[in-house]
């Protein structure tokens, strides 16, 4: 199974994504969650996930800066950004950092599953 981590300061939303989304359906498991960018960075470096799902605006360290830092250690790790902010500058920087997708909140579980599946290596069958 592929490992993913979820990083978002919205604890209720993060916990819901962890518990209600059928990650196994696309061959994934949640290896951990964090509620701010600094702890998210520590989680990523410890777990070495295949995919990161991260908010952009968070306390202590924003998701974009967090990804920029961990790219030095895990260059092949893919990221799906989730954000309530429809700001072109955020999306542009996410693309420059190699993000697989950028979803605006609120989104459907199916949208997130498709975005994560798109981020996985090509050998994962398309089930969504």
């Amino acid at each position: 199974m592929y490992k993913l981590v979820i990083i978002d300061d919205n604890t209720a939303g993060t916990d819901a994504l962890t518990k209600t989304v059928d990650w196994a359906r696309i061959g994934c498991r949640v290896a951990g969650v964090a509620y701010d960018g600094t702890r998210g960075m520590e989680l990523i470096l410890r777990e070495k996930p295949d995919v990161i799902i991260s908010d952009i605006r968070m306390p202590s360290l924003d998701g974009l800066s967090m990804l920029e830092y961990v790219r030095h250690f895990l260059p092949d790790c893919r990221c799906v950004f989730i954000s309530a902010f429809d700001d072109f500058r955020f999306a542009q920087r996410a693309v420059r950092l190699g993000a697989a997708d950028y979803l605006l909140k609120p989104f459907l579980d199916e949208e997130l599953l498709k975005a994560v599946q798109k981020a996985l290596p090509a050998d994962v069958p398309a089930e969504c």
Side-chain angles (χ1 to χ4, degrees), residues 106-124:
F107 49 81
L108 300 173
D109 289 355
E110 285 299 312
E111 292 175 292
L112 183 59
L113 281 169
K114 285 180 183 181
V116 169
Q117 188 170 34
K118 183 172 78 172
L120 294 173
D123 62 340
V124 176

Side-chain angles (χ1 to χ4, degrees), residues 18 30 41 64 66 92 94 103 114:
T18 302
V30 177
M41 183 174 59
L64 294 164
M66 178 188 69
Q92 186 178 38
L103 300 178
K114 285 180 183 181

Side-chain angles (χ1 to χ4, degrees), residues 17-56:
L17 289 178
T18 302
K19 296 173 183 166
T20 63
V21 176
D22 184 7
W23 296 111
R25 187 172 113 204
I26 61 168
C28 292
R29 70 175 178 83
V30 177
V33 298
Y35 305 109
D36 67 60
T38 300
R39 289 201 167 107
M41 183 174 59
E42 293 166 358
L43 175 66
I44 292 165
L45 294 175
R46 182 178 66 246
E47 293 295 331
K48 298 176 179 53
D50 300 293
V51 178
I52 301 163
I53 298 171
S54 178
D55 192 6
I56 289 183

